[in-house]
Amino acid sequence: MVCAWGVRVSQIFSAELAVTSNFSFLRGASYGDELVMTAKALGIAAIGIADRNTFAGIVRAHKAAKENDLRFLPGVRLVTQDGFEVIAYPTDRPAYARLCRLLTLGNRRAPKGSCYLTLEDILAYGTGICFVAMPPRVPGKLFTAGLARLAQAFSGSVWLGMARLYGADDARRLKALSCLSDDLQVPLLATNDVLYHEPERRQLQDVVTCIREHCTVKEAGFRLEANAERHLKPPAEMARIFKGYEGALCETERLVERCHFSLDELAYEYPDDVFDDQLAPQALLEKLTYEGAAAKYVMGVPEKLQATLAYELKLIGELSYAPYFLTVYDIVRFANEKNILCQGRGSAANSAVCYCLGITAVDPTEIDLLFERFVSAERNEPPDIDVDFEHERREEVIQYIYAKYGRDRAGLAATVITYRARSAIREVGKVMGLSEDVVGAMAKMTWGWSSTGVSPKRVREAGLDPDDRLVAISLTVASELIGFPRHLSQHVGGFVITRGALEEVVPIQNAAMDDRTIVEWDKDDLDTLGILKIDVLALGMLSCIRRAFDFLEESYGIRHGLRTIPQGNAAVYDMLCEADSVGVFQVESRAQMSMLPRLRPRTFYDLVVEVAIVRPGPIQGDMVHPYLRRRNGEEAVDYPSEELRQVLSKTMGVPLFQEQAMKISIVAAGFTPPEADGLRRAMATFRRNGTIYDFEHKFINGMIERGYEPDFAARCFKQIEGFGDYGFPESHAASFALLVYVSAWLKCHYPDVFCAAILNSQPMGFYAPAQLVRDAREHGVDVLPADINHSDWEAKLEFVNAVSGSEASAGFPSYRKRWGSKPRHRCAVRLGLRQIKGLRAEAGGVIADRRLAGYDSVRDLWLRTGLSPRVIELLANADAFRSVGLDRRDALWGVRGLGGWGQHKKGQNGKMPATLPLFAHLENAGFQSEPDVYLPPMPLGEHVVNDYATMRLSLKAHPVSFLRTSLQARRVITHAMLDEMKDGAWVSLAGLVLVRQRPGTASGVIFATLEDETGIANIIVWPKIFERYRKIVLQSRLLAVRGRVQKADGVIHIVADWLDDWTHELTSLTDGRVGMDEHGLAPSDGVKNPVGDPREDGLRKLYERQLRAARLMPKSRDFH
Amino acid sequence: MEPALAYSHAKKAGRQAGRRILSIWLPDWPVYRLARACKLDVAKPLVLRAARQGGERIVALNEAARALGAARGQLLADAQAVAPGLSVFGEDPDADRLALKRLADWCERYTPWTALDPSPVYEEPDGLFFDITGCAHLFGGETGLVQDLMARFAGFGFPARIAIAPHPGAAWALARYGRRAITLIGPDDVRSALDPLPLMALRIPLSMVDDLARLGVKRLADLHRIPRAPLVARFGKFLAQRFDQALGHDAEPISPSAPEIICRTRLQFAEGLVSLPDIEQAIRLLCDEMVPLLKGAGRGARRLQLHCFRSDGVRFAIMVGTSVPSADGAHLAALFSDRVTGFSHNQGIGGLEIGHGIETMVLHVMNADMVQAHQEALEENARKTRLKRRPADLGFLVDRLGNRLGFERVGRVCPRESHLPERAVVFIPAVAGIRPLEEGRDPHDWRVEERQRVGRPLRMLPCAEPVDAIAEVPDGPPRRFRWRRVVYQVAFSEGPERISPEWWQAGASVFARDYYRVEDEEGRRFWLYRDGVLGRETACPQWYVHGVFG
């Protein structure tokens, strides 16, 4: 093409090569795909995206460009420490590798999130790269000198970027640049230095600039652009505004022609040095697979499985994924050697090969596998194997990977942290100069909401005027900002491993954690480019199960592993049917607990369904109730069509799993498999740009055309929408169901083992130690208090006969014992010192190590362990000195007497030596004898409160039991009595709030779980009632409820009608007496309105005091 | 059992006999202080927030907020979830302290011995101590005094609690933890009044209160039962001292507050000065003497007060202020001279009377700021060689004008960062604009830093005036335009400079402007703009002239 004066503008080749996307954090104001699509629509021939010192955004743009069939140049805008800016486009793969190395170098020597480069670095790595130097508004000496050096070093590959930005001096500026270009023999290159795809984004660009500069928009001044010209412009417009500089436009074509590099060239190479074996990877994989199969099926590998294996191996061979499988196998083998429990999850469980290699645990003969879901030739995406490891030992696995492949070949994937509704509104509100409380009110509107904007109705509810100018602008801008990337963070466990140097594939950054490095791409980017990723995830339940296995071997001499637990045990299913599942993996939540008695699982597959059904997908698709009805035989099982029978036969005609929903879209809505996959991805990622509605239209119409009920079609689509957030394929549910069964088996047959194991694995799961201990005791397990002479750091098992019966049961209230009649175990659980808040593991270790025959006094413990009095005070506070005959108060007095407390000052750490070493030996001779001191005995109630304060649980009594008399007087019943209540009866209850939940799927309904000394009660608060008792519902620790009993399928709920906060009643426990004392120190009626109450003057400060008492109670866990 | 801790200090107690101490506690002082200062409605829920451990927390709140369920120490977000509609303000401990100090000064109407309570329960003082020994009868006895005090505080909108006791410790405890808002106790009732109070009444840290509570010691009465030695060994002397102070066994003085005078000079004359030149001369002397004092402290005066004591026992004072910290004797003297010219022998001009003459003059520096040292010699040099303005010179002018006309009347224009021409300058009080040279940037530089190498017109029209123009589409310069009925032929032009509206301003235009510098055939130069981008924003843009060059 010839560029000369008079050529028709439509023929002018125009490429925009200085484009900044929003991955130049807080600079660019458009997504890469928006830029690409706009460029395509405007007729721009090629687009190059160059973000500030990062490649983080190019993969998305690359993908969008491919979909839109637009020439795309991946580039980077290199900004040196002293402000020299140059855009770099690699011409070929080696040049790209050099750029990656350059960025890695800059990233690694800078703190997280920045990149330090100098011109020298650029000169050192610049071979094969096309440079476009971007002059500042007024090109100074620094720029000229930099450009001259660059031009000298890479003659012929350097351009001078020229933008026309509608300043007052544009003409002079262009002329000056043109002179500079002549002087240095650097051709000009026309660009618009784009920050956003359309001029309407100026507002957002101004706002992000202010966020970056930490100022309000009113203060920003010249930091903002004067106009909205930095958007993509069509070629004709570019030709017009660069009239007289046509050559500069033609140079874009020259540059584009020079750059051949495409991200598609990053053909991924699997690491092939996993094993030193002589065999080729494929052969080795086949050998290992068949060996594994033979070991697993002693009776001979079933024929069907053999066929499956052959098919899978063939496909793996064709796609040459063998090294990938071997890599994962190697990691799993390492874990097994180190006795770290692990299990594959996700779609990998669809593979029989993975099962035979020991990566996954779902027996392919039991569950129908869908290998295509995992590996498919048409999708051409690498398989994704996620493996869970014990959460406490995952680090060992990570370090193994680093050690084996080296840091230059292994790195963690990134996660792009984006603006959520709340953070977007906060930031925008601040920039707009709204006051703190308005911003707070606006942010609060998003309570429990996530990625969508805010409706005017909600604005009004929050007490703001949606028509107010600033509020309206803030909300619009904020809704645009939602979804913008904010920074890169480290992925939970996605590892990228390459054959060559990783830093030649993608730049590497420092992560926030020491000793961790992350690559600049997230998992979707890696997927797009087909780069291997192994998810090394952490799962608390695996730690718990491993501990349980260790206890089993140690105390019962039984050796078990994940795969040797006897399957199909009726007692286990009986237990689950009764919703007796506290602590059991996945099915312990309130929602699961109310589902269990309805679903009544009897087989392993029922568990798979159980795990999958209480998820947003089936709930939003309203699939739960039809399934339950069909299962209970209340509704005939029928299929909407014959073609769907195959898809839905396993689940009685109701789609529950993600694969089923996908299959429906193929079978019933006429999607092609890639389209179906696109739909799934659209749900998860591209929610904002409206493509979802096209899919919705196509999906529903497609189904209606094929003769399905519109209602069924709409529900199926809703379900897919629900899966968007939390996809749960069948294979994944099956992997989890396996852990459900194992943990349930342990809990059912060895509640002592299970209790000790789960206590040692905290924090994890849904329940606090108090509830776990309580549940164990309800199952007849003796739980013994933490004690300096008996406890180790962790909880352990003691043989019951070794413990004096009196200690085990003295003072314990009688708990309801469901399993009490038939002892299934022989051990008691001794709480570990880890239960004591604030105590460190080293201290716990020292106490156990130096115990010998036992400590006989506070002083003895102190002298022998050398722990500081502060630490010993923690033990005393936790009442751990009972075995030496000291109760909490006496022990505290003793600890205090160790000295080292001196003047009570801030920062006093109690480390001051209390006794000079010379006199230490005189201690026992009564060298420092003191007068006896009479301390009033601590009332039981106060003991309990202090137990909670120090250990979050008490074995002595339940706090509510002390209030029982007064509660009874108010006709409050115990939770145990609920069993006898009739459906629809009115009751009053009171209990400690364990959990408050407001699930997004339940349209504003609040679920709360209360606990008293007899059991647990589930409360439902409808939105109307919630609004009336908002404060009480959200704040109470001790909540009183009056409401109607609702019983269905053995699940009891109380629908609240009236609520009250009785938290202040707990205060009476610390004062050792219930009710009022004559000096008005603990009056219960005035507390709610303490200061300035005309009836009571003596209540100053009581509120603070009362709050302190209430704070000692464990806080409820709130989810929204 | 004999109370072990309450041993007697006969001597000290004897010296303190008959002492009456009043402690006044202002619960939630910061909120009510703010409510009064900003005229907020205390019936509405008000809370103060501050960054504390774990995020923004409530540090003070009023009754209405407490009634909604908010509490001190709560996370602000939690409180707002429970009680929507809280009015939230930032805390301002400095203002609180200052206001409390003022309040203490005001309370000197009751007794000269007023002091801020040095031992707040929380972080900042929220109470006062008065030593009212021998003062109460002036107000109708202690009851009368307390009622008067209560009524006045209620008038200010400050809820208060008051206790009078023989020593500060007891008064403090009873003001905060007594059963009633007003407690008066005699020396014999101290022990019985204190016994039921919680340990927090001892002014000891909450952690110590907690530790003692765990041992079962929860009230002051419990403390009597514990032998002193082991207690001191475990909790330190501080506890014992506080206990003694509460019971009056340990002396605790109250120091009154007084205004801070940074430095002063003083002149006495054998005969009263009567002539104006003499007075001016004396002022000059005082100011010159002040200079080394100020320079020695590295400070410059911001506010000065001249007290003139007349021989007939009348005193009057003149106050002057400066816009920049100044340690220049001549300058300071000049400021006073401007004011003293108003003096006269009889009542008249300025209302100040010299009368029989001024015997004594005292000059106080009430307020001073740090000044940066200057190389005098170099500066002198620079001033001679180049006529370069020093900010101090301008400051002298502003001071003199300001002290005469009132500082609020002396203003100056200042560049403001805005792309829009009509918003690019702002009028500000002259005092605010004067700052020392910073980072080599001259604040008086009118050039818009490097962004434009092309100047804007010196004369801007107060309002842009519409013109009829003929121009190239879409964004070409005007060829010809008619302004005020005269047609101009454009010979040269430069532009456009496109300036988009400041969208965040209320009433902002929606059109971007394209500015052109044009010169007509006779060499007149104009600044014109087209309002609105053709095609994108409007179909038929209007032209305006906004300024004239030269």
Side-chain angles (χ1 to χ4, degrees), chain B residues 65-251:
Chain B
R66 202 167 263 128
L68 283 180
R72 195 201 306 271
Q74 208 176 13
L75 279 173
L76 186 61
D78 290 351
Q80 283 175 328
V82 171
L86 292 178
S87 301
V88 186
F89 301 89
E91 70 159 358
D92 187 353
D94 293 336
D96 292 339
R97 191 178 272 272
L98 192 70
L100 194 63
K101 212 158 165 307
R102 290 224 181 96
L103 198 61
D105 291 347
W106 180 85
C107 288
E108 286 183 23
R109 67 199 305 280
Y110 296 105
T111 165
W113 299 97
T114 63
L116 259 54
D117 176 357
S119 43
V121 174
Y122 295 99
E123 295 144 30
E124 290 292 324
D126 56 355
L128 304 171
F129 272 135
F130 306 161
D131 189 337
I132 55 158
T133 317
C135 300
H137 67 277
L138 298 171
F139 302 89
E142 287 182 354
T143 324
L145 188 149
V146 168
Q147 274 165 0
D148 185 60
L149 196 57
M150 270 305 218
R152 284 177 190 274
F153 272 46
F156 292 149
F158 302 148
R161 288 174 56 89
I162 297 174
I164 300 179
H167 36 265
W172 192 96
L174 288 163
R176 281 157 181 79
Y177 299 97
R179 272 176 65 71
R180 295 171 205 298
I182 299 174
T183 318
L184 310 178
I185 54 160
D188 301 332
D189 303 327
V190 172
R191 165 105 192 245
S192 60
L194 291 184
D195 267 358
L197 298 191
L199 279 187
M200 276 173 291
L202 275 187
R203 295 180 285 171
I204 52 176
L206 281 178
S207 58
M208 200 187 275
V209 174
D210 266 359
D211 291 346
L212 284 161
R214 272 194 232 112
L215 295 172
V217 181
K218 295 176 180 179
R219 281 146 222 279
L220 268 58
D222 299 334
L223 219 45
H224 287 289
R225 284 200 291 270
I226 301 194
R228 190 176 177 94
L231 196 65
V232 170
R234 283 166 175 79
F235 292 95
K237 275 189 231 153
F238 185 65
L239 174 65
Q241 187 195 358
R242 283 300 196 202
F243 193 44
D244 286 345
Q245 283 175 348
L247 292 169
H249 300 319
D250 200 357

Side-chain angles (χ1 to χ4, degrees), chain A residues 27-44:
Chain A
R27 289 174 199 273
S30 291
Y31 294 92
D33 49 344
E34 285 173 337
L35 291 161
V36 166
M37 281 188 267
T38 311
K40 181 74 187 171
L42 294 178
I44 294 172

Side-chain angles (χ1 to χ4, degrees), chain A residues 166 172 206 226-227 229 240 469 877 889 893 896 942 1030-1031 1035 1070 1081 1091 1097 1108, chain B residues 63 68 74 81-82 122 161 179 210-211 214 218-219 234 417 419 475 494 498 500 503 505:
Chain A
Y166 284 84
R172 301 171 195 222
D206 285 351
N227 54 43
E229 293 305 311
R240 190 181 71 79
R469 219 184 111 70
N877 257 334
R889 253 178 207 170
W893 185 254
R896 281 271 166 179
E942 195 171 340
R1030 183 185 180 89
K1031 177 175 107 183
Q1035 249 191 355
T1070 42
L1081 261 173
V1091 177
D1097 280 343
R1108 282 150 46 73
Chain B
E63 212 41 61
L68 283 180
Q74 208 176 13
V82 171
Y122 295 99
R161 288 174 56 89
R179 272 176 65 71
D210 266 359
D211 291 346
R214 272 194 232 112
K218 295 176 180 179
R219 281 146 222 279
R234 283 166 175 79
E417 283 199 10
H419 294 290
D475 58 4
E494 185 173 7
R498 185 163 291 175
S500 294
W503 50 268
Q505 300 285 357

Side-chain angles (χ1 to χ4, degrees), chain B residues 173-472:
Chain B
L174 288 163
R176 281 157 181 79
Y177 299 97
R179 272 176 65 71
R180 295 171 205 298
I182 299 174
T183 318
L184 310 178
I185 54 160
D188 301 332
D189 303 327
V190 172
R191 165 105 192 245
S192 60
L194 291 184
D195 267 358
L197 298 191
L199 279 187
M200 276 173 291
L202 275 187
R203 295 180 285 171
I204 52 176
L206 281 178
S207 58
M208 200 187 275
V209 174
D210 266 359
D211 291 346
L212 284 161
R214 272 194 232 112
L215 295 172
V217 181
K218 295 176 180 179
R219 281 146 222 279
L220 268 58
D222 299 334
L223 219 45
H224 287 289
R225 284 200 291 270
I226 301 194
R228 190 176 177 94
L231 196 65
V232 170
R234 283 166 175 79
F235 292 95
K237 275 189 231 153
F238 185 65
L239 174 65
Q241 187 195 358
R242 283 300 196 202
F243 193 44
D244 286 345
Q245 283 175 348
L247 292 169
H249 300 319
D250 200 357
E252 189 182 359
I254 289 176
S255 335
S257 53
E260 188 201 8
I261 290 169
I262 291 156
C263 47
R264 77 176 91 199
T265 53
R266 179 186 169 94
L267 271 183
Q268 267 190 316
F269 314 107
E271 272 180 47
L273 300 187
V274 286
S275 82
L276 212 52
D278 289 349
I279 294 173
E280 285 184 2
Q281 174 77 24
I283 291 173
R284 182 67 209 254
L285 274 172
L286 282 168
C287 290
D288 285 345
E289 267 180 53
M290 190 65 83
V291 170
L293 296 178
L294 283 169
K295 286 202 171 153
R299 303 215 267 186
R302 290 299 304 265
R303 205 150 53 89
L304 301 102
Q305 205 167 23
L306 179 72
H307 292 271
C308 302
F309 296 84
R310 254 163 47 181
S311 51
D312 55 355
V314 175
R315 185 196 78 164
F316 56 87
I318 310 168
M319 185 96 91
V320 298
T322 66
S323 55
V324 283
S326 167
D328 184 328
H331 171 56
L332 296 177
L335 296 181
F336 280 110
S337 304
D338 288 347
R339 301 284 298 276
V340 182
T341 44
F343 287 15
S344 70
H345 291 276
N346 44 22
Q347 246 164 348
I349 316 155
L352 299 167
E353 247 183 290
I354 299 172
H356 300 292
I358 296 167
E359 270 187 340
T360 308
M361 290 171 94
V362 184
L363 182 64
H364 292 191
V365 173
M366 309 295 291
N367 220 330
D369 283 338
M370 302 302 286
V371 283
Q372 279 173 332
H374 291 283
Q375 284 274 16
E376 296 274 344
L378 285 178
E379 276 186 15
E380 284 303 312
N381 232 345
R383 226 186 316 185
K384 270 177 211 150
T385 49
R386 275 188 301 149
L387 265 177
K388 190 167 176 188
R389 277 182 319 223
R390 283 199 315 169
D393 294 340
L394 188 62
F396 291 162
L397 176 68
V398 171
D399 288 350
R400 295 194 63 173
L401 290 172
N403 277 308
R404 277 198 176 188
L405 306 170
F407 278 101
E408 67 284 357
R409 294 204 184 93
V410 186
R412 57 191 291 266
V413 281
C414 184
R416 170 163 64 188
E417 283 199 10
S418 171
H419 294 290
L420 279 185
E422 65 269 32
R423 289 184 42 82
V425 295
V426 62
F427 261 89
I428 55 164
V431 185
I434 299 166
R435 286 197 196 89
L437 288 169
E438 278 171 38
E439 297 150 23
R441 225 185 107 189
D442 188 345
H444 308 296
D445 188 354
W446 278 84
R447 284 169 306 155
V448 181
E449 48 135 6
E450 289 209 340
R451 298 186 70 83
Q452 309 288 357
R453 281 179 298 180
V454 181
R456 286 180 174 178
L458 204 55
R459 287 179 58 205
M460 294 255 295
L461 301 178
C463 276
E465 294 178 17
V467 296
D468 297 328
I470 296 171
E472 216 177 280

